[in-house]
Amino acid sequence: MAAENGFRLHRPSADDPRPVRAGVPEPPPILDDDAVLDLSTDIAGNDVEDTLSRLDAELVGLANVKGRVREIAALLLIDRARQRFGLAASRPTMHMSFTGGPGTGKTTVALRMAEMLHALGYIRKPKVHTVTRDDLVGQFIGHTAPKTKEALAKAAGGVLFIDEAYYLFRPENERDYGQEVIEILLQEMESERTSLVVIFAGYPDRMERFFSANPGLSSRVAHHLEFADYSHGELVAIAELMVAGENFRFDDAGRAAFAEYLARRMSRPRFANARSVRNALDRCRLRQAKRLVELRRPLTKTDLITLTDRDVYGSSVFTEPEGPSARAPA
C-alpha cells in the first residue's frame, strides 16, 4: 500500500545505482479525504527514529532537550502527512537557541538536528557549519558583510551554528561591527527560512542579555533548548561510555577513584562537564601508558585495556588545595 499512496519517498544516496532525474521531482498525488495514511510508511520517519536513537546512545541525561527534539520531529512528520492531503499551512520556523555550559552536548545535538531536518526534507543537506564571532565580524569598514555572507553561503541548505553568539553584541563599543552581522542574519533568517536553519549557542545568562537587546532576533528564534550541567552520577555514566568507546575499562578500584576525582573536579575552576571528563580520561591514559612501560614485562590484553586507581590518583586534583584559588587540575 505504501507504493500506492506515494508516501515512501526515495532519497538517493551516494552509492545508489539508480539514476537521479534532473529537476524537482513531482509531488505525490493528493490523497482523498477518506484515505488513511500510515506514518510508518514514511521512510523519513524511520531515518528520524534512527537519528533519535543515536542521540539517546551518545548523550546521557538531557531529558528536556531530547523531548523537544522529538516534538520537533513529530511536528515536521505530521506536516508532511498534512501535505499528502493537500492541507496548506505555513512552514514552521526552525531557528533555535541552545543555552548551557561547556561540554553539555550542544554541538552533538546540532549535528543530530541537522540529520533529522534533512531526513524530513526541511533542509537540503545534513550539514552543520560552525562559526564564532571571528568568522563573522570584520576588523574594518566594509569587511563584515563579505565575511558574514561567506559563512552563510557555506551553511546554505543546512545549519549555521553560531557558538558564543553573545559576543556578536558589544554595546560598550560604538564602533563594533557585530551589530552589522546581526542585521544581516535577521534578513537571511527571514528570507532564506526555507533553506537555512540558524542555531545560536552560549551560556544562559549571556544569551538572555543577547536576545533581550535584540528583540527582532529573539522573535525569529522559535525553539529555545536549555542544556543543564550534568550531575555527578551522569558524569560517571558519561565516563563509562567514553572509556568503552575507546576499548578501555576501569577496574573496580579505578572506577571508584574516578568517581572521587569527579566529585573533587566539579568544584574546581573551568569545569566543562563532558569535555572535562574526556580530558581527564586522556590524562589517565597517559599515566596508564607510563605505568605499563615501567613494568618492563610482557603485556596482556587485560593490561592494555584496564585503567586502575593508580592511573587516576596521579591527578593533581588529589594533591593541590581546594578552593577558589585552585587552578584547573592536570
Side-chain angles (χ1 to χ4, degrees), residues 94-260:
M94 286 293 130
H95 301 309
M96 305 177 192
S97 168
F98 289 2
T99 57
T104 49
K106 296 187 292 295
T107 302
T108 299
V109 172
L111 292 170
R112 299 295 163 253
M113 186 69 75
E115 292 176 2
M116 185 185 78
L117 294 176
H118 171 66
L120 290 167
Y122 192 90
I123 54 178
R124 298 193 310 272
K125 297 179 285 189
K127 163 182 152 183
V128 176
H129 181 55
T130 302
V131 296
T132 62
R133 174 188 164 89
D134 289 344
D135 300 303
L136 302 173
V137 180
Q139 300 300 312
F140 48 84
I141 295 175
H143 191 208
T144 295
K147 289 187 72 171
T148 302
K149 290 177 180 178
E150 180 184 3
L152 287 165
K154 290 180 179 179
V159 172
L160 178 66
F161 185 84
I162 306 177
D163 200 13
E164 297 183 315
Y166 39 76
Y167 283 131
L168 293 177
F169 182 67
R170 290 181 171 173
E172 71 281 359
N173 185 352
E174 295 180 358
R175 306 177 104 185
D176 185 70
Y177 300 120
Q179 187 60 38
E180 185 178 354
V181 175
I182 294 172
E183 291 170 2
I184 295 172
L185 288 173
L186 283 170
Q187 297 172 8
E188 294 294 318
M189 289 168 67
E190 188 62 31
S191 63
E192 301 298 326
R193 58 185 295 185
T194 60
S195 62
L196 176 70
V197 171
V198 179
I199 299 178
F200 300 92
Y203 296 137
D205 54 342
R206 298 183 186 181
M207 290 298 289
E208 178 64 29
R209 289 196 297 271
F210 173 66
F211 282 120
S212 297
N214 298 277
L217 192 60
S218 178
S219 65
R220 285 171 173 78
V221 176
H223 304 281
H224 293 260
L225 281 67
E226 298 180 4
F227 292 69
D229 288 336
Y230 291 110
S231 67
H232 178 266
E234 289 172 335
L235 290 168
V236 171
I238 288 169
E240 293 282 7
L241 285 175
M242 290 181 177
V243 166
E246 298 293 336
N247 295 306
F248 285 87
R249 68 174 180 84
F250 284 118
D251 63 13
D252 291 341
R255 186 174 296 105
F258 198 79
E260 183 182 352

Side-chain angles (χ1 to χ4, degrees), residues 15 57 60 66 86-87 97 112 114 143 155 169 193 205 212 242 253 261 284 308 310-311 317 325 330:
D15 55 356
V60 172
K66 294 174 181 177
L87 298 170
S97 168
R112 299 295 163 253
H143 191 208
F169 182 67
R193 58 185 295 185
D205 54 342
S212 297
M242 290 181 177
Y261 166 88
C284 286
T308 71
R310 287 182 58 190
D311 305 323
V317 78
S325 60

Side-chain angles (χ1 to χ4, degrees), residues 70-86:
R70 286 188 175 275
E71 288 175 354
I72 292 171
L75 171 67
L76 295 180
L77 194 59
I78 292 300
D79 198 49
R80 286 165 62 91
R82 286 172 53 86
Q83 292 173 29
R84 293 291 289 110
F85 283 95

Side-chain angles (χ1 to χ4, degrees), residues 47-57 69-70 73 116:
D47 290 343
V48 167
E49 196 54 46
D50 289 343
T51 298
L52 294 174
S53 296
R54 289 173 62 192
L55 192 62
D56 283 333
V69 173
R70 286 188 175 275
M116 185 185 78

